[in-house]
Amino acid sequence: MTEALGSTATPESGRPEDEVAVKKRRGGKRGKRGPLGRMALFYRQVVAELRKVVWPTRGQLSTYTSVVIVFVVIVIGLVTVIDYGFSNAVKYVFG
């Protein structure tokens, strides 16, 4: 007899299920490497990702740095004023 379409006996790849399970358990190339091999692979992947980064020019970097410093100074001033106000309010309320 012929099997019905969509049967669960064999996956779409045409191989029996136990063969597919054995293939999945092996772990590929990463499973065969020791700890030093995995660390070397990680290092190579990090270097490859860093090469993809678009680094800012010197002008852009100085502009970004200036903006951050100005923003931090403004926030420091704001927090100082709020802190001074709260401290005076506490002194007024509690003597």
Side-chain angles (χ1 to χ4, degrees), residues 15-37:
R15 292 181 284 175
E17 288 180 17
D18 53 4
E19 261 186 65
V20 173
V22 169
K23 294 285 185 185
K24 287 183 182 178
R25 274 189 248 138
R26 290 193 183 161
K29 291 182 180 179
R30 278 194 275 176
K32 296 178 185 176
R33 295 189 179 170
L36 292 177

Side-chain angles (χ1 to χ4, degrees), residues 47-95:
V47 170
E49 287 298 320
L50 284 175
R51 286 188 181 137
K52 295 177 188 177
V53 174
V54 178
W55 297 99
T57 63
R58 185 173 293 271
Q60 290 173 332
L61 189 60
S62 62
T63 302
Y64 298 155
T65 304
S66 303
V67 167
V68 168
I69 290 173
V70 167
F71 178 76
V72 168
V73 168
I74 290 172
V75 169
I76 287 172
L78 181 66
V79 169
T80 302
V81 167
I82 292 172
D83 183 50
Y84 181 73
F86 277 131
S87 66
N88 282 340
V90 168
K91 285 179 187 176
Y92 179 75
V93 170
F94 295 109

